[in-house]
Amino acid sequence: MTLFVHMLACAFGLGSWVAVNGLWVELPLIVNTLPEGWELPSYLTVIIQLANLGPLLVTLVHKLCPRHLKEQVVIYSILSIGILSCILLVFFWDKTMIVAGTSHSIAFFIITFFLSLVDCTSSVTFLPFMMLLPAKYVTTYFIGEGLSGFLPGVVALAQGVGFTKCVNFSQTAGNYTSQNMWSLHTEHLPPNFSTEVFFFFLAAMMCISLAAFFALNRLPRTFELSTKTLVPDMVVSVSSGLDNPGLEIDREEAGVAQSNPMLANPKHSVYHLTFIYLMVVWVNTATNGLLPSVQTYSCMPYGNLAYHLSTALSSVANPVACTIAMFLQNRSLVFLGVLTTLGTVFGSYNMAMAAMSPCPLLIGSVVGQMIIVSSWVFFTGTLSYVKVMVGVILRDRSHSALVWCGAAAQMGSLVGSITMFPLVNIQQLFKSGDFCNTECPL
């Protein structure tokens, strides 16, 4: 019975961020079809931030009418919306509409908003429900939440996206001559399975999560439940797509935190706390706003394969880094500062390559492809570890510290996405190119 509940908790966690993570790793295929092209990621970052309206409304209802909103009802609703949205993606993801004389992917944007609404709202509904179970099952839930980022990346790698070839394309010049004009045309080779199949996979993951929640909700309330086994304060989510591992607070520290929250861990001075919150703001600004908006511009000049590997492996690096943080914890602010600096260096390289698009460094070489993919993986991995450890540090301080951590994370994400959107879509500071026809100076 215990193993069965562990499996249910893990399967339930799959539905937390699998949809949004799946969209990101599928972008190498989608950007070649939708009219927004390389600008598409900048649209998605803004849409995901707007979807934070969901958890805000849930939080307000809990505060104003605490007895009128049950987590179970909300969870059933959002998982059902997630399944329906994934199914709608299968049929409408590539449909476009003319807006102000320009073709736009309105259907894709609307469905993406609802998927983001589901995943963002899961952060404030799934964990409160899991806290009804003993702590060992909550830890398993976080493993499932990590798999929500890992599995889409693995499936995208199996999809085989990214292979292109340059073919000669002939075009007749003029109406009264038979002379042909030859030019190179980029042809994208078909993947092992289509985008529609991938979206069906996302829908299946959401169905598994819904079925697991239904089973968990039907467990007898006497099953290993007592007020002594309920989980105390947990680490809140500080990143979109992956929460921190569910480590318990020592009961003595929890008692101190409840009696005097601001003195629960007095070893951190005001300057230390300021540094910690600045790290939270900057890390989330970079990982959730600035860099995702220009990932196409930094990777696509090296070919669709480089873009595909960077998105898929970065999605895998996130849960791997969080798993490492479960077993190898280093709370030194100096170490975290150095790691943040290192992640910023990788991010700066990625941004620089995006700014140099369509002619970044080492374009056309295998070395250039390896460097840009590795840079994206290490950028995601290092800063994901920082997110986890900052959450652990603030968890041990007080509940209010975690609340401010979440607020700082959301503020950083919002600032990053809003900053990049006009630069990419209005000012057009970043230039796209054609893999086969772009001529770059040696």
Side-chain angles (χ1 to χ4, degrees), residues 109-358:
F109 291 154
I110 294 175
I111 298 173
T112 298
F113 173 78
F114 281 103
L115 285 176
S116 303
L117 194 68
V118 169
D119 290 2
C120 291
T121 307
S122 71
S123 300
V124 295
T125 54
F126 283 19
L127 188 57
F129 171 79
M130 287 303 301
M131 289 176 67
L132 297 175
L133 297 177
K136 57 183 179 181
Y137 300 121
V138 180
T139 302
T140 309
Y141 162 80
F142 278 107
I143 294 175
E145 206 170 56
L147 290 176
S148 72
F150 181 82
L151 290 180
V154 173
V155 173
L157 288 174
Q159 193 177 15
V161 181
F163 298 100
T164 59
K165 66 178 181 179
C166 301
V167 296
N168 284 327
F169 179 76
S170 63
Q171 188 176 22
T172 302
N175 297 326
Y176 304 101
T177 178
S178 60
Q179 183 179 3
N180 289 336
M181 302 288 291
W182 293 90
S183 63
L184 287 177
H185 177 69
T186 303
E187 182 176 306
H188 300 280
L189 301 183
N192 295 328
F193 52 88
S194 65
T195 300
E196 289 79 7
V197 173
F198 184 84
F199 289 149
F200 268 126
F201 159 75
L202 296 183
M205 293 296 100
M206 298 294 291
C207 289
I208 291 174
S209 180
L210 179 60
F213 173 69
F214 179 81
L216 285 172
N217 200 38
R218 293 291 177 175
L219 287 175
R221 283 294 175 255
T222 57
F223 174 72
E224 292 190 29
L225 294 181
S226 70
T227 55
K228 294 183 180 179
T229 59
L230 291 180
V231 184
D233 289 345
M234 303 294 298
V235 177
V236 297
S237 173
V238 294
S239 66
S240 62
L242 191 62
D243 280 341
N244 298 321
L247 305 175
E248 295 185 62
I249 299 178
D250 183 78
R251 295 188 183 280
E252 294 181 0
E253 293 179 352
V256 174
Q258 291 175 357
S259 62
N260 195 345
M262 295 309 296
L263 296 179
N265 194 344
K267 66 181 180 181
H268 290 128
S269 66
V270 175
Y271 299 105
H272 290 156
L273 288 176
T274 301
F275 175 71
I276 290 173
Y277 284 117
L278 286 177
M279 273 199 303
V280 172
V281 172
W282 168 245
V283 167
N284 284 275
T285 299
T287 57
N288 298 338
L290 295 180
L291 272 301
S293 299
V294 296
Q295 190 169 13
T296 44
Y297 295 94
S298 68
C299 298
M300 284 289 279
Y302 296 97
N304 219 47
L305 178 60
Y307 183 30
H308 166 60
L309 291 177
S310 68
T311 56
L313 295 180
S314 295
S315 180
V316 172
N318 194 320
V320 169
C322 294
T323 303
I324 293 174
M326 291 180 64
F327 303 101
L328 299 176
Q329 296 189 9
N330 190 330
R331 305 190 185 198
S332 169
L333 294 184
V334 175
F335 174 77
L336 295 179
V338 171
L339 208 59
T340 301
T341 303
L342 183 61
T344 302
V345 171
F346 288 121
S348 299
Y349 179 82
N350 298 337
M351 182 65 75
M353 296 305 101
M356 296 173 65
S357 176

Side-chain angles (χ1 to χ4, degrees), residues 424-441:
V424 173
N425 299 280
I426 300 176
Q427 300 296 328
Q428 296 184 340
L429 296 182
F430 301 89
K431 306 297 182 182
S432 60
D434 189 300
F435 181 72
C436 293
N437 294 309
T438 301
E439 296 183 1
C440 298

Side-chain angles (χ1 to χ4, degrees), residues 257 261-262 264-268 273 393-399 401:
M262 295 309 296
N265 194 344
K267 66 181 180 181
H268 290 128
L273 288 176
I393 292 172
L394 295 177
R395 175 210 64 189
D396 287 346
R397 183 173 181 84
S398 68
H399 175 73

Side-chain angles (χ1 to χ4, degrees), residues 73-83 118 121-122 125-126 206:
V73 176
V74 178
I75 293 173
Y76 276 124
S77 300
I78 64 175
L79 286 177
S80 299
I81 292 173
I83 295 171
V118 169
T121 307
S122 71
T125 54
F126 283 19
M206 298 294 291

